[in-house]
Amino acid sequence: MSTEKNPPPRRRRPSTAVSSTPPSCDTCDGTGETTTPIRVGRRRREIGAKQTGLCPACLGSGTA
């Protein structure tokens, strides 16, 4: 009485994903930083200085 073994099941290959780069953020143009004019006083007048900070749309990553 010989018992035949079934061959092991075939393993599926992981699908090869197309490596595309994510689009850059429109708000910061892909830099991750935005500039905002500084405003002072009760009437909120601009003084001509700029302040940089993280982009609120992409949180500094530069990608959308």
Side-chain angles (χ1 to χ4, degrees):
M1 282 190 126
S2 66
T3 57
E4 293 184 21
K5 286 188 174 180
N6 290 337
R10 291 189 179 189
R11 293 185 183 181
R12 293 184 181 181
R13 285 187 178 180
S15 62
T16 56
V18 177
S19 61
S20 63
T21 58
S24 63
C25 180
D26 293 331
T27 307
C28 64
D29 295 327
T31 60
E33 289 186 346
T34 57
T35 57
T36 307
I38 296 176
R39 298 175 180 219
V40 296
R42 188 170 45 185
R43 297 183 188 164
R44 307 300 291 164
R45 64 182 170 89
E46 294 181 11
I47 61 171
K50 301 274 184 193
Q51 180 180 10
T52 61
L54 288 177
C55 176
C58 66
L59 299 175
S61 67
T63 59

